[in-house]
């Protein structure tokens, strides 16, 4: 079951520069800052209430995040809904004919994650995530 908006993903040229706004000006605490090599991104999570902002900085040019930044510039990239069972949500989406990016859940900064293609979601990239206990204060 989807339980809340887990985070909103924002693509940036430089996470360090973006932190000057989100962390320093707005006062949001950083809960994670990690390079995810297989995805070619540096992800920084900042807490806001029971949700988070995820800053995504490409670490190489051959990734979807890098292509997004090159074609669209900085800005909102995706919305992530928290689920108690990401695999069940992914299968339910598949059964409903929603176009999937991930055919199976995988490990990401927010826990076990998967993405649904924006063509099926009115132009919005949607992520489902099931946080892993002990990760980022969960």
């Amino acid at each position: 079951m989807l339980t809340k908006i887990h985070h909103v993903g924002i693509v940036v040229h430089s996470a360090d520069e973006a932190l000057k706004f989100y962390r320093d000006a707005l006062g949001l605490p950083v809960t994670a800052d990690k390079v995810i090599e297989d995805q070619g991104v540096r992800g920084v999570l900042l807490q806001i209430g029971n949700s988070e902002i995820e800053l995504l900085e490409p670490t190489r040019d051959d990734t979807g995040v890098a292509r997004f930044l090159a074609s669209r510039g900085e800005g909102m990239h995706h919305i992530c809904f928290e689920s108690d069972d990401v695999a069940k949500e992914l299968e339910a989406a598949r059964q409903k004919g929603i176009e999937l990016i991930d055919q199976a859940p995988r490990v990401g900064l927010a826990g076990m994650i998967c993405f649904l293609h924006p063509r099926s979601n009115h132009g919005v990239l949607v992520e489902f995530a099931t946080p892993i206990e002990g990760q980022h204060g969960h």
Side-chain angles (χ1 to χ4, degrees):
M1 176 158 93
L2 299 179
T3 56
K4 70 175 187 175
I5 293 175
H6 183 275
H7 68 266
V8 173
I10 300 171
V11 173
V12 297
H13 288 289
S14 165
D16 290 332
E17 283 299 311
L19 283 169
K20 291 177 183 176
F21 174 71
Y22 291 99
R23 181 193 59 207
D24 301 344
L26 297 183
L28 303 180
V30 172
T31 59
D33 186 342
K34 182 178 177 185
V35 172
I36 304 157
E37 293 295 343
D38 65 324
Q39 295 178 32
V41 297
R42 174 184 173 198
V44 181
L45 289 171
L46 299 106
Q47 188 171 350
I48 175 76
N50 290 326
S51 296
E52 293 173 307
I53 300 290
E54 180 182 43
L55 303 177
L56 295 165
E57 174 189 333
T59 57
R60 51 179 210 266
D61 295 334
D62 64 342
T63 66
V65 171
R67 287 189 296 275
F68 180 95
L69 185 60
S71 67
R72 298 188 183 181
E74 294 183 306
M76 188 173 145
H77 181 257
H78 68 273
I79 186 165
C80 177
F81 296 99
E82 186 171 314
S83 168
D84 54 4
D85 187 343
V86 72
K88 186 175 174 183
E89 296 298 341
L90 184 61
E91 185 53 34
R94 183 188 334 270
Q95 294 296 321
K96 292 173 183 162
I98 296 170
E99 188 175 350
L100 310 177
I101 291 176
D102 293 301
Q103 299 305 309
R106 57 188 166 95
V107 176
L109 193 59
M112 292 304 296
I113 66 167
C114 66
F115 283 91
L116 310 180
H117 201 286
R119 280 191 295 258
S120 291
N121 311 311
H122 304 278
V124 177
L125 180 61
V126 171
E127 177 183 11
F128 293 150
T130 299
I132 297 170
E133 272 310 305
Q135 184 180 16
H136 320 308
H138 293 285

